[in-house]
Amino acid sequence: MKIIYTDSLVVGAGLAGLRVAIASKERGLDTLVLSLIPAKRSHSVAAQGGMQASLGNTVKGMGDNEDVHFQDTVKGSDWGCDQRVARMFTHCAPKAVRELANWGVPWTRVTKGSRQVVVNAEKVTIEEAEAAHGLINARDFGGTKKWRTCYTADGTGHSLLYAVDNKAISLGIAVHERIEALKLIHDGKRCHGVIARCLITGELRAYIAKSTTIATGGYGRIYEVSTNAIICEGIGQAMALETGVATLGNMEAVQFHPTAIAPVGILTTEGCRGDGGLLRDKDGHRFMPDYEPEKKELASRDVVSRRMTEHMRKGKGVDSPYGPHLWLDITLLGRKHIETNLREVQEICDYFLGIDPAVDWIPVRPTQHYSMGGIRTDATGESPQLKGLFSVGEAACWDMHGFNRLGGNSLAETVVGGMIIGKYVADFGENNDLVLDTKLVEQAMGDLRAEIDGLIDGDGTESPYTLKQEMQCIMMDYVGIFRNGPELDKAVAGLKDLLVRSRNLIVKNKKRHANPELVEALRVRRMIKVALTVACGASARTESRGAHAREDFPQRNDRNWLKRTLCSWPDTNALEPEIHYEDLDVMQMELPPGYRGYGIDNTIPHPDTAKREAEIAVKLAELGEHANRYEQQQALMSFELPEELMPKNERLTDKLSAHVGEKNS
């Protein structure tokens, strides 16, 4: 039995995992990262449009700050997020952007003077301040009041991942590649590491650590068509689920991106619409103003995806051999802009569609894109049930996204969440001892070895490829953008049947090393369990909130459903998860539930909302009219961060106002 020891073990080498690893290593802890693939190929590299941070450098971002970003994030979540976590995040986002600049990210910068942009299908000229020249630029994104999304053309994830990975390399952080973690080692109270399999040799290894951080990304590949990389199969969530102790949160909250190319589902960034692109139907009609006259194409992602689907249901989609689609028109941006700021989109259109987006419209339709749910953690990133188990990024339900994520907040979460949670992981490593229980390790290793032996030596009849395809079709057909009771019942029944059949798998390739069929068999059982948490959670939640849209329950029901879904797996023989709930306390919210700003307000209010609003009014009145925004915010909802992250953020407006003050004095 091969055992490898470390202080801080991180599973997943994307942006979130690497940022946690960097925080641990900088504290002097021995740090080790496991990755399915070379770090620079992690799915973080695919993020295009940018990351949100309230720098307020561009003229269209003037007046932005943590308060505005916080309000956008909470409203975007449809009041499903943890507001303290959202505050922690928005406070640290500007710090993370500037840190990344120091690490070598070539952020697109502001050029002083006039420049032409497209706003609401019209070319307008804006004037950038001389004082802003050379500062980090920002573009418009859906669901935001200000231009806040910092970017490097449309390859932001690529730039960030290379810079962060290079930082990790400079610190000497070891990354074990082609290694798949499949089982958590735990005693029911504390996590001690993982059992992992080498994808090349088939060797099983035990990695023992003080802390274990799951940063394996989302679970988009439980769907048939997804913008996610093929490695985003939810195995990190499944490992936590299979402990029977750790819980998953809000797994039914699955976001569909409006503009993936048809039919393959490759993403075209929200930056296309943020920069002024339009959505058109089969008649060339720009239809989004008909549904959302204020925000139009830049409504929140869940809203745009639903409006597009509604429009296609009315027969306004473009017929194709692969089903209906709509058009994304970025021709009005001009060739220079596309070749400068949307280069990846141009290449995708050329390579996969054979079109030139400077002259041709792009065929798009909503496609599964992001997982708001994940391993439930507290504000420090630690599982409330398993001490020493942390999670970060899309793998986690840290819960700054609630039931819908704003564009640009996911790339931001990887590095901001990694920055914050990394410090708590490092604290844990400094304050706790490494515990090695060889019997516990042997038991976990034995369980995984027995599973592999059963697949290799067994006489099953079910193909893992067939089961996976059937699971993906069920999720796509019955647990999509619009959901209803009968279809969700079909999904749950179908997935339970697949889980039973997965106990009778056959692996025709009997090799124990470099065996893709064995890899698929080990994953598909776990993926079906993850899919069941999504379907069962969606079936139980009889309301519509954010990306969870029930046609049979169209109202957001704060009275009965202002709560977080928690799933756990009872035992190895169970066919569905146990579901319980965690109430969101309105009386602790800085921003009580209200109208989100899209369509009609058909919310069923929470009985404490009016009470909290009145309490907030009293608190603000007691502070007096001279209280600044920081004093007001702390009075309404205090939040904590590691001391070095607490200082205020400085903005261009602060410098300009200080300069004016000096002149006047």
Side-chain angles (χ1 to χ4, degrees):
M1 181 171 64
K2 185 170 184 178
I3 302 179
I4 298 170
Y5 311 91
T6 189
D7 293 324
S8 179
L9 176 66
V10 179
V11 184
L15 281 169
L18 289 175
R19 187 61 189 82
V20 168
I22 289 168
S24 294
K25 189 69 173 182
E26 287 181 331
R27 200 76 70 83
L29 297 170
D30 187 43
T31 305
L32 181 61
V33 180
L34 307 183
S35 182
L36 290 173
I37 55 178
K40 284 185 170 72
R41 290 179 56 198
S42 298
H43 186 51
S44 299
V45 82
Q48 297 171 358
M51 68 170 279
Q52 287 203 34
S54 57
L55 300 181
N57 292 330
T58 178
V59 67
K60 287 288 191 176
M62 284 293 178
D64 199 12
N65 56 41
E66 302 89 350
D67 296 345
V68 185
H69 190 185
F70 167 78
Q71 291 163 11
D72 286 345
T73 299
V74 173
K75 289 180 179 179
S77 79
D78 220 354
W79 275 271
C81 73
D82 183 326
Q83 293 195 15
R84 278 193 169 82
V85 168
R87 264 294 172 190
M88 294 164 66
F89 163 75
T90 56
H91 178 81
C92 291
K95 295 174 171 60
V97 168
R98 289 164 175 149
E99 178 181 69
L100 289 165
N102 288 332
W103 290 358
V105 172
W107 295 111
T108 299
R109 301 281 174 160
V110 176
T111 301
K112 65 182 178 181
S114 60
R115 65 183 176 109
Q116 199 174 65
V117 296
V118 177
V119 178
N120 192 23
E122 294 183 4
K123 291 184 178 180
V124 298
T125 300
I126 61 175
E127 188 79 17
E128 297 289 8
E130 184 172 352
H133 185 74
L135 299 180
I136 296 170
N137 207 342
R139 59 172 27 132
D140 200 6
F141 251 42
T144 65
K145 291 187 179 72
K146 302 288 184 179
W147 290 26
R148 185 186 301 126
T149 305
C150 309
Y151 62 101
T152 63
D154 62 343
T156 315
H158 185 280
S159 299
L160 266 60
L161 185 60
Y162 272 61
V164 173
D165 187 47
N166 288 344
K167 178 68 174 178
I169 291 170
S170 74
L171 293 172
I173 296 172
V175 179
H176 288 197
E177 299 172 357
R178 316 289 184 182
I179 301 292
E180 180 166 30
L182 289 166
K183 194 173 187 65
L184 291 178
I185 303 167
H186 70 97
D187 57 12
K189 295 181 179 178
R190 180 171 171 182
C191 179
H192 298 288
V194 304
I195 304 296
R197 177 176 176 272
C198 176
L199 295 174
I200 299 172
T201 66
E203 176 189 45
L204 296 184
R205 305 174 186 173
Y207 288 87
I208 307 299
K210 294 179 180 179
S211 67
T212 303
T213 303
I214 304 298
T216 50
Y219 43 91
R221 285 291 164 175
I222 64 173
Y223 284 83
E224 185 179 21
V225 183
S226 172
T227 67
N228 287 194
I230 59 172
I231 57 172
C232 299
E233 297 185 314
I235 304 305
Q237 290 88 345
M239 283 197 296
L241 186 67
E242 288 190 329
T243 64
V245 181
T247 57
L248 306 185
N250 288 349
M251 293 296 284
E252 69 269 33
V254 177
Q255 184 180 83
F256 281 66
H257 196 289
T259 57
I261 64 171
V264 293
I266 298 171
L267 182 67
T268 59
T269 173
E270 187 160 322
C272 290
R273 288 173 289 124
D275 289 359
L278 308 176
L279 290 169
R280 301 187 185 276
D281 61 19
K282 68 177 184 181
D283 302 318
H285 171 62
R286 182 191 179 195
F287 59 89
M288 276 305 297
D290 302 339
Y291 297 98
E292 300 296 340
E294 182 182 348
K295 294 296 289 185
K296 307 174 183 67
E297 282 84 1
L298 290 176
S300 200
R301 283 182 179 176
D302 61 317
V303 175
V304 178
S305 292
R306 283 196 294 274
R307 296 308 196 191
M308 291 173 68
T309 303
E310 289 173 28
H311 204 62
M312 287 188 284
R313 284 179 170 182
K314 293 176 181 177
K316 293 296 185 178
V318 182
D319 291 330
S320 81
Y322 312 101
H325 66 76
L326 295 162
W327 298 114
L328 173 62
D329 174 13
I330 62 172
T331 60
L332 70 167
L333 303 182
R335 183 173 297 280
K336 181 180 178 181
H337 182 94
I338 292 170
E339 292 179 350
T340 303
N341 292 314
L342 297 170
R343 297 184 300 243
E344 284 193 12
V345 171
Q346 185 182 39
E347 290 179 356
I348 288 167
C349 290
D350 182 19
Y351 295 158
F352 294 94
L353 297 171
I355 65 173
D356 178 358
V359 295
D360 302 312
W361 294 349
I362 307 168
V364 295
R365 64 183 172 207
T367 300
Q368 193 286 333
H369 176 63
Y370 189 82
S371 314
M372 277 75 73
I375 300 169
R376 178 68 184 130
T377 75
D378 59 22
T380 70
E382 188 175 16
S383 166
Q385 295 84 26
L386 271 182
K387 183 181 178 183
L389 175 64
F390 292 80
S391 188
V392 65
E394 197 174 352
C397 181
W398 189 38
D399 217 13
M400 56 158 284
H401 300 307
F403 272 75
N404 177 66
R405 170 180 70 79
L406 290 185
N409 263 1
S410 66
L411 196 59
E413 185 196 17
T414 60
V415 288
V416 178
M419 169 191 279
I420 297 169
I421 292 168
K423 292 188 181 297
Y424 291 120
V425 170
D427 289 344
F428 189 92
E430 288 182 338
N431 298 324
N432 290 272
D433 296 326
L434 184 74
V435 177
L436 174 60
D437 183 336
T438 53
K439 285 188 177 179
L440 201 63
V441 176
E442 287 173 358
Q443 180 183 343
M445 180 83 79
D447 289 345
L448 184 56
R449 184 174 285 115
E451 182 181 0
I452 293 171
D453 290 345
L455 291 168
I456 295 292
D457 302 326
D459 55 358
T461 58
E462 296 285 354
S463 163
Y465 300 108
T466 300
L467 292 192
K468 183 176 179 180
Q469 184 178 28
E470 290 184 24
M471 172 199 66
Q472 291 173 328
C473 288
I474 287 172
M475 295 302 294
M476 209 73 190
D477 291 344
Y478 302 135
V479 199
I481 293 176
F482 285 103
R483 303 165 176 181
N484 61 65
E487 289 188 345
L488 289 169
D489 289 343
K490 288 181 183 178
V492 171
L495 291 169
K496 287 166 72 172
D497 179 62
L498 291 180
L499 186 56
V500 172
R501 289 167 59 190
S502 74
R503 296 169 181 170
N504 190 35
L505 287 171
I506 183 173
V507 175
K508 295 179 181 178
N509 184 342
K510 302 300 181 181
K511 293 191 303 181
R512 291 178 181 268
H513 65 280
N515 184 345
E517 188 182 16
L518 177 60
V519 170
E520 200 81 339
L522 288 167
R523 291 178 184 173
V524 72
R525 288 172 171 168
R526 292 162 170 82
M527 292 175 73
I528 293 171
K529 289 181 180 178
V530 170
L532 273 162
T533 65
V534 177
C536 290
S539 179
R541 184 173 285 271
T542 52
E543 67 151 357
S544 292
R545 185 180 299 275
H548 172 68
R550 288 284 299 256
E551 293 176 290
D552 44 354
F553 296 97
Q555 291 179 293
R556 191 186 86 199
N557 188 340
D558 290 345
R559 183 181 63 204
N560 298 326
W561 284 106
L562 195 61
K563 55 185 69 177
R564 187 174 292 113
T565 306
L566 298 177
C567 289
S568 58
W569 203 265
D571 56 67
T572 55
N573 296 318
L575 292 180
E576 61 182 279
E578 288 183 349
I579 296 179
H580 48 291
Y581 296 94
E582 178 183 0
D583 288 331
L584 303 182
D585 188 354
V586 174
M587 298 306 293
Q588 297 298 316
M589 291 182 179
E590 179 180 342
L591 186 64
Y595 176 47
R596 192 176 168 204
Y598 302 112
I600 60 168
D601 183 8
N602 64 350
T603 303
I604 300 173
H606 191 282
D608 287 343
T609 297
K611 191 190 307 183
R612 177 58 174 165
E613 289 173 341
E615 185 178 75
I616 287 173
V618 170
K619 286 187 176 185
L620 294 178
E622 289 174 349
L623 285 174
E625 59 182 18
H626 298 298
N628 62 39
R629 66 182 181 89
Y630 301 105
E631 293 167 335
Q632 292 175 336
Q633 193 280 312
Q634 280 295 305
L636 298 183
M637 185 188 72
S638 62
F639 65 95
E640 295 180 1
L641 281 165
E643 185 178 352
E644 57 269 40
L645 298 179
M646 282 303 294
K648 297 174 183 176
N649 296 299
E650 186 180 75
R651 294 179 176 81
L652 177 62
T653 49
D654 300 327
K655 291 183 178 180
L656 293 176
S657 60
H659 181 62
V660 170
E662 288 173 7
K663 273 186 163 184
N664 292 337
S665 62

